[in-house]
Amino acid sequence: MKIKAFIAILACMVVATPTAALHHTQTSRSVSPAAAKTLVERLGYPPDTKLLIVHADDLGMAHSINIASIKGLETGLVSSASIMIPCSWLPEIAAYARTHPEADLGLHLTLTSEWSLYRWGPVLGKERVPSLLDSGGYFYPTETEAAAHIDPKEAEAEIRAQIARARALGIQPTHLDSHMGTLYQNQALFETLFRVAHDNKLLIRVSKEWFAVAPFLPSLLGPDDVVVNSVISIEPNVTAEGWSKYYADAIKNLQPGLTEMIVHLAYDDEEMRGVAFAHPNWGSEWRQRDFQFVTSEAFRKLLQENNVKLVTWREVGRLMKKS
Amino acid sequence: MKIKAFIAILACMVVATPTAALHHTQTSRSVSPAAAKTLVERLGYPPDTKLLIVHADDLGMAHSINIASIKGLETGLVSSASIMIPCSWLPEIAAYARTHPEADLGLHLTLTSEWSLYRWGPVLGKERVPSLLDSGGYFYPTETEAAAHIDPKEAEAEIRAQIARARALGIQPTHLDSHMGTLYQNQALFETLFRVAHDNKLLIRVSKEWFAVAPFLPSLLGPDDVVVNSVISIEPNVTAEGWSKYYADAIKNLQPGLTEMIVHLAYDDEEMRGVAFAHPNWGSEWRQRDFQFVTSEAFRKLLQENNVKLVTWREVGRLMKKS
């Protein structure tokens, strides 16, 4: 499969449904003696434990997203989240991060600006990173346009600046991931992301499922990197009525090892409807449905009944450094 | 009176109440033959006509502000408005400007970012305009801090970039004004503003009331500049209960000539409450009250009963160019 197909898959943050996914129980590529134990065992759990990071994306993008995601984190059913540094609502979530140092907050490294009426651009000056910008002076709207134009050196400078800005605001990120998968679009961008992550001793969201479409990926991993078995992320073809069933099936089909479930939380309110104007995919109703599901008693019960243990990127990262 | 006091007055966008204001009927400083006629006469009205620009500030700052201001413009009781180019909701109001070329939209030149949880920075790269930025990399929160740090050359580059960006997005501004009065803080910034306005053949919001505290102002005016008699802008000491009475008194006390009434429109919704968190002055309830007043039948009736004629900056600007 070409990287192009991989791009298409990641572009939508759509991965194979859990039943179709490759279910590896070995969660580290390393074959060093330390890796004789699985990741789950190294984290101190019996080898058949099903570990899940329930992760809210896009914090900082909008007030509606911030308050719904904070609510999600505070129910205890969302275990992790990541922040978009270039967006105007960053100060609100940075204030939360400073007063809630226990919250598992990473950085949702941002090189795209996907909505039509509400947009943002780089932390660095536009003169410094021209290849990241569309004709309107904002980030490109799609990850494919972004990847087609981005000079990886400028992407590297920008994501280093996003990390520096986060730290300057008192955010101590527990992990990194890539908004809309832009940094997962080709080998040069993946190399950039790993170089920056390694320099900052931060884990990255990477799934073993991606190896088949990005065969270079294993060669980029360092000894401390963690690869999740699979990523659960709901697809645009799931109907509103099928929402809970999709997640319920995903939880029931979880395999031993570490899985990440990506959700997008917001309220279906006037602001979010404005942000996602004419864009139902990942729009305001979508995010309200995700919010309702992950804060529901039904979700809590599903996790219990299926013996799923929620974990954080901080927990995973801390143990990795000891291994 | 020192400029400092003038700063304090403009800082709050608080001007003398209409009854206390200096009421000049001569609205142009020029003593050239063309100015033998008053501005009102040159606009084609009898000399005792009371002309009013009802002006909504801060468009582009938030979705709540955009939709309430558009509603205000569409009632016909708000005659003009101005746009903040650096803010993330600019694309929404730019789209409106492109599809409503008749709307009287100017630029609310922006060099401050005043809220705590929701912020923005310059159109130009941060490396290009370091004097405009606070330690967080955003514009300074207050106009006094901004004026104390700003290199006027950098302010000039930034506001030229804001005008260029507006035009690139299809906005044809009818006038200029200054968010939080930052460009009205001292002579150097006023000179910058006039130079840029003259180069772009755009009128600026300037009130004759300001001459007493900024005696250099008349010397900066070009032959086509227009000076309004007074500016009506509600003050923080007006209670919610006194809101309508304040405006009613202002309308009843209007004098012949051109007056500008500045309003700040938004809904008291979740987004606006987040933007103006812990800041009731110019906050969400304030803006909801302004919205309710300027879209009310009571306001329409007041204008009719007091023979007030609403005009736009486009109308004023077009006639000035003929004079």
Side-chain angles (χ1 to χ4, degrees), chain A residues 63 66-67 85-93 95 116-120 122-128 135-138 165 168-169 269-276, chain B residues 63 66-67 85-93 95 116-120 122-128 135-138 165 168-169 269-276:
Chain A
H63 179 59
N66 283 350
I67 55 176
I85 300 301
C87 299
S88 266
W89 282 100
L90 168 65
E92 180 174 63
I93 202 69
S116 58
L117 303 181
Y118 176 73
R119 306 197 64 194
W120 51 81
V123 163
L124 288 178
K126 289 164 185 177
E127 301 84 345
R128 176 76 181 76
S135 59
Y138 299 109
R165 180 161 214 177
L169 288 169
D269 60 11
E270 183 56 51
E271 179 199 14
M272 196 64 225
R273 284 192 290 271
V275 168
Chain B
H63 179 59
N66 283 351
I67 56 177
I85 300 301
C87 299
S88 267
W89 282 100
L90 168 65
E92 180 175 62
I93 203 68
S116 59
L117 303 181
Y118 176 72
R119 305 197 66 194
W120 52 82
V123 163
L124 287 177
K126 289 164 184 176
E127 302 85 344
R128 176 76 181 75
S135 59
Y138 298 109
R165 181 162 213 176
L169 288 169
D269 60 11
E270 182 56 50
E271 178 199 16
M272 196 64 225
R273 284 193 291 272
V275 168

Side-chain angles (χ1 to χ4, degrees), chain B residues 8-235:
Chain B
I9 292 169
L10 293 178
C12 303
M13 298 297 290
V14 172
V15 295
T17 57
T19 46
L22 303 173
H23 296 301
H24 301 260
T25 52
Q26 172 61 34
T27 55
S28 168
R29 66 155 197 128
S30 171
V31 289
S32 68
K37 284 188 174 180
T38 63
L39 171 69
V40 170
E41 290 171 297
R42 285 186 286 147
L43 284 164
Y45 298 98
D48 61 348
T49 309
K50 293 177 275 187
L51 299 179
L52 183 66
I53 297 169
V54 180
H55 191 280
D57 280 15
D58 298 353
L59 280 66
M61 185 203 281
H63 179 59
S64 182
I65 292 172
N66 283 351
I67 56 177
S69 299
I70 288 170
K71 185 91 173 166
L73 288 164
E74 295 190 346
T75 61
L77 294 175
V78 176
S79 60
S80 185
S82 59
I83 301 172
M84 298 172 69
I85 300 301
C87 299
S88 267
W89 282 100
L90 168 65
E92 180 175 62
I93 203 68
Y96 180 81
R98 287 192 298 271
T99 53
H100 296 77
E102 75 290 358
D104 191 54
L105 296 169
L107 303 187
H108 201 49
L109 298 168
T110 301
L111 299 173
T112 46
S113 170
E114 67 271 33
W115 313 107
S116 59
L117 303 181
Y118 176 72
R119 305 197 66 194
W120 52 82
V123 163
L124 287 177
K126 289 164 184 176
E127 302 85 344
R128 176 76 181 75
V129 289
S131 76
L132 306 189
L133 305 179
D134 71 5
S135 59
Y138 298 109
F139 285 137
Y140 284 96
T142 68
E143 63 285 14
T144 46
E145 288 168 280
H149 291 91
I150 283 175
D151 173 346
K153 284 198 187 67
E154 292 180 12
E156 179 163 344
E158 172 62 18
I159 64 177
R160 287 188 189 276
Q162 292 183 14
I163 295 169
R165 181 162 213 176
R167 291 191 166 134
L169 288 169
I171 299 167
Q172 303 301 334
T174 59
H175 63 289
L176 300 177
D177 54 51
S178 173
H179 182 54
M180 298 172 69
T182 304
L183 289 159
Y184 307 150
Q185 295 299 302
N186 60 47
Q187 186 165 350
L189 290 173
F190 255 125
E191 286 170 356
T192 300
L193 176 57
F194 273 104
R195 186 162 49 247
V196 172
H198 292 160
D199 286 352
N200 285 278
K201 301 193 187 312
L202 288 168
L203 294 178
I204 309 171
R205 172 191 296 162
V206 184
S207 172
K208 189 164 287 186
E209 296 164 317
W210 305 350
F211 290 3
V213 287
F216 56 82
L217 249 182
S219 71
L220 303 182
L221 298 173
D224 278 344
D225 283 318
V226 169
V227 177
V228 304
N229 277 347
S230 67
V231 171
I232 300 167
S233 189
I234 206 158
E235 302 173 43

Side-chain angles (χ1 to χ4, degrees), chain A residues 58-75:
Chain A
D58 298 353
L59 280 66
M61 185 204 280
H63 179 59
S64 182
I65 291 172
N66 283 350
I67 55 176
S69 300
I70 289 170
K71 184 90 173 170
L73 287 164
E74 296 191 346
T75 60

Side-chain angles (χ1 to χ4, degrees), chain A residues 161-226:
Chain A
Q162 292 183 14
I163 294 169
R165 180 161 214 177
R167 291 191 165 133
L169 288 169
I171 299 166
Q172 303 301 336
T174 59
H175 65 288
L176 301 177
D177 54 51
S178 173
H179 181 54
M180 298 172 69
T182 304
L183 289 158
Y184 307 150
Q185 295 300 301
N186 59 48
Q187 185 164 351
L189 291 173
F190 255 124
E191 286 170 358
T192 300
L193 176 57
F194 273 104
R195 186 162 50 245
V196 172
H198 292 161
D199 286 352
N200 285 278
K201 301 195 189 310
L202 289 168
L203 293 178
I204 310 170
R205 173 190 295 161
V206 184
S207 171
K208 188 164 289 186
E209 296 163 319
W210 305 351
F211 290 4
V213 286
F216 56 82
L217 248 181
S219 70
L220 303 181
L221 298 174
D224 277 344
D225 283 318
V226 169

